[in-house]
């Protein structure tokens, strides 16, 4: 509805102003939108018939998704960053396991979308079904890619 859109726009404007001026703790903001995103992700999993015994994967370092959704992870690695950058063999093994398992759901943490996950999603018929509407700034001061949820179409 128009009211919801206005609220989302107003909240994102508030976050932008707060970031620039620094009036409140950014940790408090992270708690607010992380909780909202967790609720949205859990609802989407339920709405799409992803059972609690069905493994999913979260690309990034966002294990809270597994905990809140009560879904297991599809590979030996519940998170990939920063460990996959420090030990590239871990990232290689994770991507190999992803290709073997082909989980129905891939959640990409904000700021983690990269060539590895892009190739996997494109090569395996995943469809983007949710994008977070929250803005996040990276450590470099630039806006990060939003969190996303992909569903395999096979």
């Amino acid at each position: 509805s128009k009211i919801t859109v206005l609220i989302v726009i107003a909240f994102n404007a508030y976050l932008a102003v707060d970031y620039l001026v620094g009036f409140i703790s950014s940790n408090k903001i992270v708690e607010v939108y992380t909780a909202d995103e967790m609720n949205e992700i859990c609802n989407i999993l339920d709405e799409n018939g992803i059972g609690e015994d069905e493994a999913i994967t979260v690309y990034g370092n966002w294990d809270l998704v597994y905990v809140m959704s009560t879904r297991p992870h599809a590979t030996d690695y519940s998170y990939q960053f920063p460990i996959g950058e420090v030990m590239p063999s871990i990232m290689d093994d994770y991507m190999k396991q992803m290709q073997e398992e082909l989980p129905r759901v891939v959640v990409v943490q904000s700021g983690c979308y990269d060539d590895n996950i892009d190739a996997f999603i494109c090569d395996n018929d995943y469809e983007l079904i949710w994008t977070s509407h929250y803005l996040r700034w990276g450590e470099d001061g630039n806006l990060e890619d939003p969190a996303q949820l992909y569903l395999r179409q096979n």
Side-chain angles (χ1 to χ4, degrees):
S1 74
K2 289 181 181 180
I3 292 174
T4 303
V5 170
L6 289 175
I7 290 170
V8 168
I9 291 170
F11 186 68
N12 276 314
Y14 169 75
L15 291 176
V17 168
D18 177 66
Y19 175 78
L20 295 173
V21 204
F23 282 117
I24 65 173
S25 165
S26 63
N27 288 337
K28 191 167 200 98
I29 292 173
V30 169
E31 291 169 11
V32 169
Y33 62 65
T34 298
D36 287 348
E37 288 171 323
M38 287 304 119
N39 288 333
E40 290 179 36
I41 290 168
C42 291
N43 288 338
I44 291 167
L45 294 175
D46 292 340
E47 290 166 5
N48 284 281
I50 309 300
E52 290 187 2
D53 60 339
E54 189 169 351
I56 64 172
T57 195
V58 178
Y59 191 73
N61 189 348
W62 210 13
D63 279 5
L64 188 57
V65 174
Y66 300 115
V67 174
M68 297 300 293
S69 72
T70 64
R71 272 44 176 219
H73 44 89
T75 70
D76 292 340
Y77 306 98
S78 65
Y79 68 95
Q80 303 76 42
F81 297 103
I83 195 167
E85 295 170 332
V86 175
M87 296 183 66
S89 62
I90 288 176
M91 185 62 79
D92 293 342
D93 193 35
Y94 168 75
M95 297 308 295
K96 179 183 175 198
Q97 289 179 29
M98 286 273 290
Q99 196 61 48
E100 292 167 358
E101 296 297 324
L102 290 175
R104 278 184 50 207
V105 172
V106 175
V107 177
V108 181
Q109 182 181 8
S110 175
C112 292
Y113 197 93
D114 63 12
D115 292 342
N116 283 327
I117 199 65
D118 181 65
F120 178 79
I121 287 167
C122 292
D123 292 347
N124 291 292
D125 201 26
Y126 283 85
E127 178 183 350
L128 175 65
I129 62 168
W130 174 81
T131 300
S132 175
H133 54 269
Y134 289 106
L135 300 174
R136 289 185 176 86
W137 286 266
E139 292 179 11
D140 61 1
N142 294 320
L143 280 176
E144 294 181 341
D145 295 323
Q148 300 173 325
L149 188 147
Y150 293 85
L151 186 65
R152 191 166 45 84
Q153 297 305 302
N154 296 346

